[in-house]
């Protein structure tokens, strides 16, 4: 039952802001009315690790505060991204229902600004509790019934969001035969556009050792299918891009929560799709971080 959080209708949003006594709620609505959606742009987040307790701190980081800082920047960006995707580890540690209620609430202002929110899951999530807890979600019809698998079509690329969770709190990931078969079929049926593969676990060394049990089988599927241009992952809480021997871009999204290496940034990635590639801009939570504004211009393999 793959799900996502659709944008909340503007009529409902305006009704909320008109009845709200607090002036603070009106400001984003004026901004939302003014700025345009850029259909080629996306906000990519990973490893948000949200706890039901907004005061929860781990590794000297308040995860809720970090997500709020990222949310504020996305809501004040000059153009509205066409979607926001979180690449797993939504919940703090063990995928509790109350954590998912907090996650949903934290994304409400984004959805009220007409940005749909797509959620992937990681090893700190619990698939069933996630599906049961997110009441305002919509089911998508593009994936497998018992996994959080989705295909998202854009003008310049298709996103294939997979589910590499084996079991909550078990660190390594696995795509598995059923999803790999689905991926092969769906990639072949949509070979006319660049394909970007997105899921939680890292298939290669990137800040930490590769942590996907079927990375060999996955590369065998992806390398010969030339429409596959990039593979996005998270899990390592590290920002990095590299290319495999066939030219597929391997993009390690940074964490929004706490980095494992003290020098690594927390933040999100503003991305712009183009016919021939993709521009990625790192936006750090700490604006004084030396990697703030780091831009990677990815050129697609042919
Ligand atoms: Zn994580």
């Amino acid at each position: 039952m793959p799900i996502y959080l659709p944008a909340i209708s503007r009529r409902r949003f305006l009704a909320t802001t008109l009845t709200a006594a607090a002036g603070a709620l009106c400001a984003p609505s004026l901004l939302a009315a003014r700025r345009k959606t850029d259909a080629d742009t996306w906000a990519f987040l990973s490893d948000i690790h949200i706890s039901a307790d907004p005061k929860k701190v781990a590794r000297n980081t308040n995860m809720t505060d970090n997500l709020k800082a990222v949310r504020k920047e996305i809501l004040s960006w000059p153009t509205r991204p066409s979607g926001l995707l979180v690449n797993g580890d939504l919940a703090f540690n063990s995928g509790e229902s109350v954590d998912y209620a907090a996650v949903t609430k934290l994304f409400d202002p984004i959805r009220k600004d007409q940005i749909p929110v797509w959620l992937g899951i990681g090893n700190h999530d619990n698939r069933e509790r996630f599906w049961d807890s997110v009441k305002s979600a919509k089911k998508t019809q593009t994936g497998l019934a018992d996994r959080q698998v989705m295909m998202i079509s854009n003008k310049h690329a298709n996103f294939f969001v997979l589910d590499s969770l084996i079991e909550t709190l078990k660190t390594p990931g696995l795509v598995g035969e059923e999803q790999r078969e689905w991926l092969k079929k769906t990639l072949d049926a949509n070979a006319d556009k660049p394909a970007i593969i997105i899921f939680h676990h890292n298939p290669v060394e990137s800040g930490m050792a590769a942590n996907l049990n079927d990375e060999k089988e996955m590369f065998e599927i992806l390398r010969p299918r030339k429409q596959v241009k990039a593979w996005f992952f998270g899990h390592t809480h590290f920002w990095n891009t590299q290319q495999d021997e066939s030219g597929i871009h391997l993009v390690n999204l940074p964490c929004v929560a706490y980095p494992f290496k003290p020098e690594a940034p927390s933040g999100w990635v503003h991305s712009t799709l183009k016919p021939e590639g993709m521009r990625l801009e790192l936006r750090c939570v700490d604006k004084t971080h030396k990697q703030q504004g780091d831009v990677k211009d990815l050129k697609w393999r042919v």
Side-chain angles (χ1 to χ4, degrees), residues 47 49 89 237:
D47 297 271
H49 289 277
D89 280 0
H237 296 209

Side-chain angles (χ1 to χ4, degrees), residues 9 15 29 85 109 133-134 193 197 199 209 213 264:
S9 82
S29 75
L85 189 140
S133 309
V134 185
K193 250 189 236 179
I197 313 300
F199 62 88
N213 290 347

Side-chain angles (χ1 to χ4, degrees), residues 143-242:
L144 296 173
D146 60 349
R147 291 289 190 118
Q148 180 67 2
V149 172
M150 306 166 285
M151 189 184 107
I152 307 168
S153 289
N154 300 282
K155 186 175 157 201
H156 296 305
N158 294 316
F159 297 160
F160 296 81
V161 184
L162 304 181
D163 173 349
S164 55
L165 166 66
I166 302 174
E167 193 187 321
T168 310
L169 291 174
K170 195 170 178 178
T171 306
L174 177 79
V175 176
E177 205 182 330
E178 194 192 6
Q179 272 189 94
R180 294 199 307 266
E181 285 308 311
W182 175 84
L183 181 63
K184 272 194 252 180
K185 254 194 345 229
T186 318
L187 278 173
D188 291 344
N190 295 278
D192 56 326
K193 250 189 236 179
I196 297 173
I197 313 300
I198 305 168
F199 62 88
H200 187 70
H201 287 82
N202 56 312
V204 290
E205 187 179 342
S206 177
M208 66 186 233
N211 209 209
L212 182 70
N213 290 347
D214 53 354
E215 98 278 355
K216 191 171 158 281
E217 292 87 341
M218 281 296 293
F219 274 120
E220 279 169 11
I221 293 170
L222 303 182
R223 281 177 179 145
R225 290 175 169 82
K226 293 295 180 189
Q227 73 270 34
V228 177
K229 310 297 187 190
W231 184 347
F232 282 40
F233 49 91
H235 188 54
T236 63
H237 296 209
F238 191 67
W239 161 245
N240 181 39
T241 62
Q242 54 187 307

Side-chain angles (χ1 to χ4, degrees), residues 105-125:
K105 220 169 154 202
L106 281 163
F107 282 116
D108 268 356
I110 295 280
R111 299 171 60 204
K112 285 172 181 167
D113 193 42
Q114 308 306 298
I115 304 169
V117 174
W118 299 81
L119 302 169
I121 53 178
N123 52 302
H124 288 284
D125 290 308

